Amino acid sequence: MAVAAPPAGQAEAGPGDAGRAGAGTPDAGAPRAGAMEGGAVRWPAAAETDSSDVPAPVHSPADVPGTDSDGRPLTGPGAESGGGAGAAPGGPAHEEAGAVRVRHDHRAAPGGGTATGAAADAGGAARTTGDRAAAVAGAAPDGAAEPGGDPDSGDFPLAAPDPRTAEHAPAAPAAGEKVCVACRSGRVDPDGYCENCGHAQPRERDHMEQELDTVAAVSDRGLRHHRNEDSFAVSSTALPDGSPAVVAIVCDGVSSASRPDEASAAAATAANEALLASLPRGTHPQQAMHEAIVAASEAVNALAQEPAGAMGHDAHRHQNAPACTLVGAVAAGGLLIVGWVGDSRVYWVPEDRTRPTARLTEDDSWAAQMVAAGLMNEAEAYADDRAHAITGWLGADAYELEPHTAAFKPDRPGLVVVCTDGLWNYAESGEEMAAAVPADAQERPLHAAQVLVGHALDGGGHDNVTVALLPFAVRPDGAGSARASV
């Protein structure tokens, strides 16, 4: 910011220049600050309040370095204690002139006395103004030093301790403890919040990734939900003949039910464990998938069980039992087996993108029922507000468990996409899903799953997003295709 220069012949005034010879030529009859009267310097009285209506601090000559009209220092080792023109306030000449007394907190008074004593001698003449200044500055009454303070330091003690060095500051995290992702210094309490800045920490399920040699999965909380209610399980095992079997299970918790996150996790774990137990024994993969869905249903039902009499206070508690949907795929022995309950889906995307894609599941939903009954076409049904109301799920309050399974024998390599509606809402048709899948998904399934989750987040991320990708390779002697449904 530019500053205007003083007029020619006029010196620029500095602190303490009010009574300096040559600092300007005011009118002869006009009073001026620091004018001599009775041999003492008269200082203008401070305003009662400042521009913010806060009591204005009172400053003494010792607070502003300078000289009087005779060129003598206002304060300092060379100041005279007598009543001459250079006498500091509080001297005899100053008292005779009737000037307003001010207190010198924590400073040596002229003549070797203390500021406290000088103020006491004044008989309280400046008590009101001095106490107000002390309150603003944070000083103790009567110039008393704060506990632990140095009365001769000349510094006013702080009104409150520095929060950066307060004794109640949180201790640094111990080795092995979680550190806040926001401030990078606070310890995370058992509720998942930083004890230093209060920032909520990401939950382990907010974003999950897993990759095996032949399958990968990614799950994300999305942008609108406060937690991730999806879950997945991927694994591989061997059939009795030693050929590999690859498993992918994806579950979506029903948000209107209680503990949907627990339901999806229990279902995914139970289904995966059931498949890993039955496939090596030689159980047909389609039968194994059916049994896995039944096991997942039993695991979710167990979450709703309460001790005897615990539900007596709420007759409708069973109507809000934990619930979820399930969809799974197994690639084993040249077959592709899919199974589902609910509205999560499986898509087939051929490696040769010139070939047609396909959706391999049918939703258990209001929209699918309308289409199946011929009452609406697919576009009209899924545009309705009731489209995503599911008619089949896993849970103690399900009307009847009806696991769906289907077996396919692809004659060409491709990619199996197993996902929740958090993804297919943004790529509903087979063609839209194929367009969203990266071209190198067969070689980089984890990267492709990350890209698909990003596609859903870029589209709005209104729901939790989970997808598992299972590259399907065709045996050299494989040809034709077949399908059986239950």
PDB file of all heavy atoms in Angstrom, residues 31 51 55 76 99 110 127 152 172 211 228 233 254 280 308 320 341 377 395 398 427 430 443 451 457 461 468-469:
ATOM      1  N   PRO A  31      -3.052  24.212  21.570  1.00  0.00           N
ATOM      2  CA  PRO A  31      -2.436  23.258  22.505  1.00  0.00           C
ATOM      3  C   PRO A  31      -1.939  22.057  21.741  1.00  0.00           C
ATOM      4  O   PRO A  31      -2.448  21.710  20.687  1.00  0.00           O
ATOM      5  CB  PRO A  31      -3.599  22.888  23.437  1.00  0.00           C
ATOM      6  CG  PRO A  31      -4.834  23.111  22.634  1.00  0.00           C
ATOM      7  CD  PRO A  31      -4.528  24.258  21.734  1.00  0.00           C
ATOM      8  N   SER A  51     -12.760   1.582  19.405  1.00  0.00           N
ATOM      9  CA  SER A  51     -13.812   1.531  18.394  1.00  0.00           C
ATOM     10  C   SER A  51     -14.710   0.319  18.545  1.00  0.00           C
ATOM     11  O   SER A  51     -15.780   0.260  17.958  1.00  0.00           O
ATOM     12  CB  SER A  51     -13.190   1.524  16.993  1.00  0.00           C
ATOM     13  OG  SER A  51     -12.319   0.402  16.858  1.00  0.00           O
ATOM     14  N   PRO A  55     -12.934  -1.501  26.742  1.00  0.00           N
ATOM     15  CA  PRO A  55     -12.145  -0.488  27.486  1.00  0.00           C
ATOM     16  C   PRO A  55     -10.754  -0.345  26.906  1.00  0.00           C
ATOM     17  O   PRO A  55     -10.042  -1.320  26.682  1.00  0.00           O
ATOM     18  CB  PRO A  55     -12.099  -1.077  28.909  1.00  0.00           C
ATOM     19  CG  PRO A  55     -13.329  -1.907  29.001  1.00  0.00           C
ATOM     20  CD  PRO A  55     -13.550  -2.480  27.627  1.00  0.00           C
ATOM     21  N   GLY A  76      14.211   5.460  31.270  1.00  0.00           N
ATOM     22  CA  GLY A  76      15.477   4.777  31.072  1.00  0.00           C
ATOM     23  C   GLY A  76      16.445   5.105  32.173  1.00  0.00           C
ATOM     24  O   GLY A  76      16.154   5.874  33.102  1.00  0.00           O
ATOM     25  N   ALA A  99      -1.672  16.139  36.984  1.00  0.00           N
ATOM     26  CA  ALA A  99      -1.872  15.197  35.863  1.00  0.00           C
ATOM     27  C   ALA A  99      -2.451  13.899  36.380  1.00  0.00           C
ATOM     28  O   ALA A  99      -2.263  13.524  37.523  1.00  0.00           O
ATOM     29  CB  ALA A  99      -0.534  14.933  35.168  1.00  0.00           C
ATOM     30  N   PRO A 110      10.131   5.421  38.856  1.00  0.00           N
ATOM     31  CA  PRO A 110      11.198   6.416  38.983  1.00  0.00           C
ATOM     32  C   PRO A 110      11.599   6.583  40.435  1.00  0.00           C
ATOM     33  O   PRO A 110      10.782   6.504  41.347  1.00  0.00           O
ATOM     34  CB  PRO A 110      10.557   7.684  38.427  1.00  0.00           C
ATOM     35  CG  PRO A 110       9.460   7.194  37.525  1.00  0.00           C
ATOM     36  CD  PRO A 110       8.956   5.940  38.150  1.00  0.00           C
ATOM     37  N   ARG A 127      -6.950   4.169  40.168  1.00  0.00           N
ATOM     38  CA  ARG A 127      -7.301   2.764  40.347  1.00  0.00           C
ATOM     39  C   ARG A 127      -8.252   2.291  39.263  1.00  0.00           C
ATOM     40  O   ARG A 127      -8.102   1.213  38.702  1.00  0.00           O
ATOM     41  CB  ARG A 127      -7.937   2.594  41.721  1.00  0.00           C
ATOM     42  CG  ARG A 127      -8.363   1.170  42.043  1.00  0.00           C
ATOM     43  CD  ARG A 127      -7.181   0.250  42.191  1.00  0.00           C
ATOM     44  NE  ARG A 127      -6.344   0.683  43.311  1.00  0.00           N
ATOM     45  CZ  ARG A 127      -5.187   0.113  43.618  1.00  0.00           C
ATOM     46  NH1 ARG A 127      -4.727  -0.860  42.860  1.00  0.00           N
ATOM     47  NH2 ARG A 127      -4.486   0.543  44.621  1.00  0.00           N
ATOM     48  N   ASP A 152       9.786  -8.918  37.310  1.00  0.00           N
ATOM     49  CA  ASP A 152      10.713  -7.943  36.735  1.00  0.00           C
ATOM     50  C   ASP A 152      10.903  -8.123  35.239  1.00  0.00           C
ATOM     51  O   ASP A 152      11.775  -7.501  34.641  1.00  0.00           O
ATOM     52  CB  ASP A 152      12.078  -8.068  37.428  1.00  0.00           C
ATOM     53  CG  ASP A 152      11.977  -7.754  38.918  1.00  0.00           C
ATOM     54  OD1 ASP A 152      11.127  -6.889  39.266  1.00  0.00           O
ATOM     55  OD2 ASP A 152      12.714  -8.365  39.710  1.00  0.00           O
ATOM     56  N   ALA A 172       0.677 -38.573  22.593  1.00  0.00           N
ATOM     57  CA  ALA A 172       0.977 -39.116  21.270  1.00  0.00           C
ATOM     58  C   ALA A 172       0.648 -40.604  21.249  1.00  0.00           C
ATOM     59  O   ALA A 172       0.770 -41.294  22.256  1.00  0.00           O
ATOM     60  CB  ALA A 172       2.453 -38.892  20.947  1.00  0.00           C
ATOM     61  N   GLU A 211      -7.496 -59.735  -4.288  1.00  0.00           N
ATOM     62  CA  GLU A 211      -7.132 -60.310  -5.583  1.00  0.00           C
ATOM     63  C   GLU A 211      -6.463 -61.663  -5.382  1.00  0.00           C
ATOM     64  O   GLU A 211      -5.561 -61.809  -4.561  1.00  0.00           O
ATOM     65  CB  GLU A 211      -6.193 -59.374  -6.353  1.00  0.00           C
ATOM     66  CG  GLU A 211      -5.801 -59.916  -7.721  1.00  0.00           C
ATOM     67  CD  GLU A 211      -4.879 -58.978  -8.473  1.00  0.00           C
ATOM     68  OE1 GLU A 211      -4.095 -58.278  -7.774  1.00  0.00           O
ATOM     69  OE2 GLU A 211      -4.925 -58.934  -9.718  1.00  0.00           O
ATOM     70  N   ASN A 228     -20.663 -49.073   4.642  1.00  0.00           N
ATOM     71  CA  ASN A 228     -20.729 -50.039   3.554  1.00  0.00           C
ATOM     72  C   ASN A 228     -21.488 -51.260   4.034  1.00  0.00           C
ATOM     73  O   ASN A 228     -21.034 -51.981   4.924  1.00  0.00           O
ATOM     74  CB  ASN A 228     -19.318 -50.427   3.100  1.00  0.00           C
ATOM     75  CG  ASN A 228     -19.329 -51.263   1.828  1.00  0.00           C
ATOM     76  OD1 ASN A 228     -20.390 -51.562   1.280  1.00  0.00           O
ATOM     77  ND2 ASN A 228     -18.151 -51.641   1.359  1.00  0.00           N
ATOM     78  N   ALA A 233     -16.826 -62.367  -0.972  1.00  0.00           N
ATOM     79  CA  ALA A 233     -15.841 -63.404  -0.651  1.00  0.00           C
ATOM     80  C   ALA A 233     -15.375 -63.996  -1.968  1.00  0.00           C
ATOM     81  O   ALA A 233     -16.200 -64.320  -2.841  1.00  0.00           O
ATOM     82  CB  ALA A 233     -16.452 -64.484   0.242  1.00  0.00           C
ATOM     83  N   VAL A 254     -29.818 -55.306   3.029  1.00  0.00           N
ATOM     84  CA  VAL A 254     -31.074 -54.582   2.813  1.00  0.00           C
ATOM     85  C   VAL A 254     -31.121 -53.419   3.804  1.00  0.00           C
ATOM     86  O   VAL A 254     -31.206 -53.624   5.020  1.00  0.00           O
ATOM     87  CB  VAL A 254     -32.283 -55.511   3.001  1.00  0.00           C
ATOM     88  CG1 VAL A 254     -33.591 -54.730   2.836  1.00  0.00           C
ATOM     89  CG2 VAL A 254     -32.226 -56.666   2.005  1.00  0.00           C
ATOM     90  N   PRO A 280     -14.532 -79.778  -3.308  1.00  0.00           N
ATOM     91  CA  PRO A 280     -13.464 -80.791  -3.308  1.00  0.00           C
ATOM     92  C   PRO A 280     -13.987 -82.215  -3.077  1.00  0.00           C
ATOM     93  O   PRO A 280     -13.290 -83.187  -3.404  1.00  0.00           O
ATOM     94  CB  PRO A 280     -12.565 -80.344  -2.152  1.00  0.00           C
ATOM     95  CG  PRO A 280     -12.829 -78.895  -1.978  1.00  0.00           C
ATOM     96  CD  PRO A 280     -14.278 -78.743  -2.281  1.00  0.00           C
ATOM     97  N   ALA A 308     -34.694 -66.371  24.943  1.00  0.00           N
ATOM     98  CA  ALA A 308     -36.115 -66.557  25.245  1.00  0.00           C
ATOM     99  C   ALA A 308     -36.658 -65.352  26.002  1.00  0.00           C
ATOM    100  O   ALA A 308     -36.091 -64.923  26.997  1.00  0.00           O
ATOM    101  CB  ALA A 308     -36.317 -67.833  26.069  1.00  0.00           C
ATOM    102  N   ASN A 320     -38.319 -56.740  11.182  1.00  0.00           N
ATOM    103  CA  ASN A 320     -37.151 -55.960  10.807  1.00  0.00           C
ATOM    104  C   ASN A 320     -35.880 -56.764  11.055  1.00  0.00           C
ATOM    105  O   ASN A 320     -34.869 -56.250  11.504  1.00  0.00           O
ATOM    106  CB  ASN A 320     -37.114 -54.662  11.617  1.00  0.00           C
ATOM    107  CG  ASN A 320     -36.167 -53.646  11.030  1.00  0.00           C
ATOM    108  OD1 ASN A 320     -35.967 -53.603   9.824  1.00  0.00           O
ATOM    109  ND2 ASN A 320     -35.564 -52.831  11.884  1.00  0.00           N
ATOM    110  N   VAL A 341     -30.276 -64.781  -5.020  1.00  0.00           N
ATOM    111  CA  VAL A 341     -31.548 -64.436  -4.389  1.00  0.00           C
ATOM    112  C   VAL A 341     -31.519 -62.926  -4.230  1.00  0.00           C
ATOM    113  O   VAL A 341     -30.622 -62.381  -3.573  1.00  0.00           O
ATOM    114  CB  VAL A 341     -31.727 -65.118  -3.018  1.00  0.00           C
ATOM    115  CG1 VAL A 341     -32.988 -64.593  -2.334  1.00  0.00           C
ATOM    116  CG2 VAL A 341     -31.786 -66.620  -3.145  1.00  0.00           C
ATOM    117  N   ASN A 377     -42.959 -52.813 -20.143  1.00  0.00           N
ATOM    118  CA  ASN A 377     -41.683 -53.197 -20.731  1.00  0.00           C
ATOM    119  C   ASN A 377     -40.576 -52.862 -19.737  1.00  0.00           C
ATOM    120  O   ASN A 377     -40.813 -52.215 -18.712  1.00  0.00           O
ATOM    121  CB  ASN A 377     -41.452 -52.514 -22.090  1.00  0.00           C
ATOM    122  CG  ASN A 377     -41.436 -50.999 -21.985  1.00  0.00           C
ATOM    123  OD1 ASN A 377     -40.882 -50.430 -21.043  1.00  0.00           O
ATOM    124  ND2 ASN A 377     -42.052 -50.330 -22.969  1.00  0.00           N
ATOM    125  N   GLY A 395     -33.139 -63.867   4.968  1.00  0.00           N
ATOM    126  CA  GLY A 395     -33.453 -63.278   6.265  1.00  0.00           C
ATOM    127  C   GLY A 395     -34.583 -64.029   6.932  1.00  0.00           C
ATOM    128  O   GLY A 395     -35.356 -64.749   6.265  1.00  0.00           O
ATOM    129  N   ALA A 398     -38.079 -63.518   5.432  1.00  0.00           N
ATOM    130  CA  ALA A 398     -38.343 -63.808   4.017  1.00  0.00           C
ATOM    131  C   ALA A 398     -39.579 -64.711   3.921  1.00  0.00           C
ATOM    132  O   ALA A 398     -39.768 -65.617   4.733  1.00  0.00           O
ATOM    133  CB  ALA A 398     -37.142 -64.483   3.387  1.00  0.00           C
ATOM    134  N   ALA A 427     -24.844 -49.062 -15.281  1.00  0.00           N
ATOM    135  CA  ALA A 427     -24.550 -49.833 -16.499  1.00  0.00           C
ATOM    136  C   ALA A 427     -25.524 -50.999 -16.510  1.00  0.00           C
ATOM    137  O   ALA A 427     -25.163 -52.141 -16.249  1.00  0.00           O
ATOM    138  CB  ALA A 427     -23.107 -50.313 -16.506  1.00  0.00           C
ATOM    139  N   GLY A 430     -26.450 -55.286 -20.805  1.00  0.00           N
ATOM    140  CA  GLY A 430     -25.194 -55.974 -21.058  1.00  0.00           C
ATOM    141  C   GLY A 430     -24.234 -55.139 -21.877  1.00  0.00           C
ATOM    142  O   GLY A 430     -23.019 -55.148 -21.642  1.00  0.00           O
ATOM    143  N   GLU A 443      -6.602 -59.768 -18.201  1.00  0.00           N
ATOM    144  CA  GLU A 443      -5.247 -59.830 -17.649  1.00  0.00           C
ATOM    145  C   GLU A 443      -5.111 -59.068 -16.338  1.00  0.00           C
ATOM    146  O   GLU A 443      -4.260 -59.395 -15.512  1.00  0.00           O
ATOM    147  CB  GLU A 443      -4.230 -59.265 -18.653  1.00  0.00           C
ATOM    148  CG  GLU A 443      -4.096 -60.060 -19.940  1.00  0.00           C
ATOM    149  CD  GLU A 443      -5.258 -59.825 -20.893  1.00  0.00           C
ATOM    150  OE1 GLU A 443      -5.871 -58.725 -20.841  1.00  0.00           O
ATOM    151  OE2 GLU A 443      -5.562 -60.749 -21.676  1.00  0.00           O
ATOM    152  N   VAL A 451     -11.769 -49.835 -11.800  1.00  0.00           N
ATOM    153  CA  VAL A 451     -12.326 -48.938 -12.815  1.00  0.00           C
ATOM    154  C   VAL A 451     -13.850 -48.959 -12.770  1.00  0.00           C
ATOM    155  O   VAL A 451     -14.510 -47.915 -12.872  1.00  0.00           O
ATOM    156  CB  VAL A 451     -11.810 -49.333 -14.206  1.00  0.00           C
ATOM    157  CG1 VAL A 451     -12.562 -48.571 -15.301  1.00  0.00           C
ATOM    158  CG2 VAL A 451     -10.315 -49.062 -14.321  1.00  0.00           C
ATOM    159  N   LEU A 457     -18.973 -44.433  -8.951  1.00  0.00           N
ATOM    160  CA  LEU A 457     -18.772 -43.232  -8.141  1.00  0.00           C
ATOM    161  C   LEU A 457     -18.868 -41.977  -9.001  1.00  0.00           C
ATOM    162  O   LEU A 457     -19.437 -40.961  -8.581  1.00  0.00           O
ATOM    163  CB  LEU A 457     -17.423 -43.299  -7.432  1.00  0.00           C
ATOM    164  CG  LEU A 457     -17.229 -44.449  -6.442  1.00  0.00           C
ATOM    165  CD1 LEU A 457     -15.842 -44.378  -5.810  1.00  0.00           C
ATOM    166  CD2 LEU A 457     -18.301 -44.419  -5.362  1.00  0.00           C
ATOM    167  N   GLY A 461     -22.522 -42.399  -7.244  1.00  0.00           N
ATOM    168  CA  GLY A 461     -22.234 -43.192  -6.049  1.00  0.00           C
ATOM    169  C   GLY A 461     -23.354 -43.182  -5.030  1.00  0.00           C
ATOM    170  O   GLY A 461     -23.112 -43.096  -3.830  1.00  0.00           O
ATOM    171  N   ALA A 468     -17.141 -58.210  -8.331  1.00  0.00           N
ATOM    172  CA  ALA A 468     -16.108 -59.244  -8.415  1.00  0.00           C
ATOM    173  C   ALA A 468     -15.979 -59.649  -9.875  1.00  0.00           C
ATOM    174  O   ALA A 468     -16.992 -59.832 -10.565  1.00  0.00           O
ATOM    175  CB  ALA A 468     -16.472 -60.445  -7.547  1.00  0.00           C
ATOM    176  N   LEU A 469     -14.754 -59.776 -10.349  1.00  0.00           N
ATOM    177  CA  LEU A 469     -14.487 -60.139 -11.742  1.00  0.00           C
ATOM    178  C   LEU A 469     -13.779 -61.488 -11.780  1.00  0.00           C
ATOM    179  O   LEU A 469     -12.763 -61.678 -11.102  1.00  0.00           O
ATOM    180  CB  LEU A 469     -13.644 -59.070 -12.431  1.00  0.00           C
ATOM    181  CG  LEU A 469     -14.264 -57.669 -12.497  1.00  0.00           C
ATOM    182  CD1 LEU A 469     -13.354 -56.727 -13.276  1.00  0.00           C
ATOM    183  CD2 LEU A 469     -15.652 -57.713 -13.131  1.00  0.00           C
TER     184      LEU A 469
END
